[in-house]
Amino acid sequence: MKKVICSLLSLFLISVTLMAQTKVIAHRGHWNCEGSAQNSIASLQKAQEVGIYGSECDIYLTADGVVVLNHDRTHGSMIVEETTYKQLKKLKLQNGEVLPTFKSYLKQGLKDPNTKLIVEIKSHKDTTNEDRCVKEVVKMVKKYKMESQVEYISFSKRACKNLINLSPATPVAYLGSDVAPKELKTLGFSGVDFSDATFNKHPEWIAEAKACGLTINVWTIDNKADMQRFIDQKVDYITTNDPILLKGLLK
Ligand code: MG
C-alpha cells in the first residue's frame, strides 16, 4: 500500500513539474539597466518592478562579521573576508550605492513578497567564516520571517550541508558540476542549479533531476536560442542577465 501511494505521489510530482512553466531569475539582480548595479539594492528593486520569479545575489561575511552582497572575493582591492564593513563601504558601487548589507537587502525584499530572493553563499577562503556566514544568513532570514521567500544556492558543499541542516524547509540547490542529481536528492537538496556547460556534458541530468523530484535551474543564459532550448526542455528556472528578454519569450 505504502509503495502504491509513493508511486502515485511521484507520478503527481512529475506531472506538476512537467506542466509548470519556466520561471525567470535575474542573475545578480536586474542590473543591466539605468541606475542599477550588480548585487545592489536597486538591482532587487528593479527585479521586483519587472515582476519576475526571483532575484539572485551573492553573499560574503566581512572581517567584522557583517553579511554583505558581493560577487568577487574582493571589493576593489580589498579582500571582503579580511576587511571591516566600515572600510569596505568607503568604495561605492557603480550606481553610487553603498555596498549593501544582507540586512538592508532583506528589508527591500520584504517590500515585495512575490519576488523570491535566490541567495548564493560564496565559498569563503576560511571555512570558519563560511560557517558563520551561513548561520548569520539563516538567523536573519528567520528573524524577518522570510523562510518561504528565500532559496539558497552554493558551490560549497559544506555551506549547502549546513543550510539543509539549519533551514530544512527552505530550498537548497547545488551549483557545482561534480554531483549527479540522484546523489543530490539523497543528500537532502531540493534542486540542481547547473550551468549550460554542465547540462551539455550531462544532457541526461535533466530527466534524472525531474525523476527525482528535484527542481532544475540553469545559468547563466543570455542568448535567445539557448533560452528557448531550455524552455522547450521545461526546466523550472533560467537564471539570466537579461530578464526582460526571457520574460518576453515566456509570454
Ligand atoms: Mg551568483
Side-chain angles (χ1 to χ4, degrees):
M1 186 65 185
K2 211 172 170 187
K3 250 186 175 176
V4 175
I5 292 171
C6 281
S7 308
L8 285 172
L9 193 63
S10 301
L11 273 174
F12 172 73
L13 288 173
I14 290 166
S15 44
V16 165
T17 307
L18 287 174
M19 278 190 302
Q21 197 193 24
T22 303
K23 296 178 180 76
V24 183
I25 294 174
H27 183 235
R28 306 179 195 171
H30 183 25
W31 57 270
N32 203 359
C33 54
E34 181 95 31
S36 194
Q38 296 186 0
N39 281 308
S40 64
I41 300 295
S43 74
L44 174 56
Q45 192 191 336
K46 304 267 182 195
Q48 291 167 333
E49 285 165 12
V50 172
I52 51 177
Y53 177 79
S55 192
E56 189 254 2
C57 68
D58 304 291
I59 297 292
Y60 271 108
L61 189 80
T62 68
D64 54 337
V66 180
V67 182
V68 295
L69 271 68
N70 204 61
H71 179 267
D72 297 337
R73 282 220 160 122
T74 52
H75 176 52
S77 59
M78 298 173 279
I79 298 170
V80 177
E81 272 183 81
E82 297 171 1
T83 312
T84 62
Y85 183 60
K86 197 178 168 188
Q87 283 297 317
L88 289 164
K89 72 178 187 182
K90 284 182 184 169
L91 177 64
K92 300 266 166 64
L93 303 189
Q94 269 184 358
N95 66 343
E97 256 182 55
V98 172
L99 185 77
T101 61
F102 187 55
K103 187 177 171 183
S104 60
Y105 191 78
L106 288 179
K107 284 184 176 172
Q108 178 62 39
L110 279 172
K111 292 181 185 172
D112 176 14
N114 292 321
T115 307
K116 301 267 186 197
L117 309 185
I118 315 301
V119 178
E120 177 180 349
I121 308 288
K122 300 304 284 188
S123 301
H124 287 58
K125 238 165 61 175
D126 181 333
T127 51
T128 313
N129 283 343
E130 190 175 288
D131 292 351
R132 281 178 67 204
C133 183
V134 168
K135 268 191 192 165
E136 275 302 307
V137 164
V138 170
K139 198 169 97 184
M140 274 191 266
V141 169
K142 278 189 181 159
K143 185 181 164 196
Y144 288 101
K145 299 186 171 40
M146 294 175 81
E147 290 106 320
S148 59
Q149 198 186 334
V150 167
E151 298 180 13
Y152 297 117
I153 56 176
S154 187
F155 279 100
S156 163
K157 289 184 196 125
R158 183 186 177 96
C160 289
K161 194 179 164 197
N162 287 335
L163 287 162
I164 290 166
N165 286 336
L166 291 171
S167 191
T170 307
V172 180
Y174 183 54
L175 290 165
S177 58
D178 56 339
V179 189
K182 261 187 201 166
E183 195 184 335
L184 291 173
K185 180 70 181 179
T186 62
L187 294 168
F189 284 83
S190 62
V192 301
D193 194 346
F194 294 153
S195 68
D196 190 7
T198 300
F199 283 123
N200 284 338
K201 198 176 165 194
H202 298 283
E204 74 283 5
W205 280 4
I206 290 191
E208 187 177 317
K210 282 182 185 175
C212 294
L214 291 171
T215 59
I216 302 171
N217 189 351
V218 57
W219 52 271
T220 304
I221 310 296
D222 297 336
N223 166 292
K224 208 170 167 178
D226 292 332
M227 287 174 176
Q228 194 58 54
R229 183 161 52 89
F230 281 105
I231 292 167
D232 292 344
Q233 291 183 89
K234 297 183 168 49
V235 300
D236 299 280
Y237 316 105
I238 294 176
T239 300
T240 178
N241 289 305
D242 198 340
I244 305 283
L245 176 67
L246 179 55
K247 200 182 175 206
L249 279 180
L250 289 162
K251 265 182 189 164

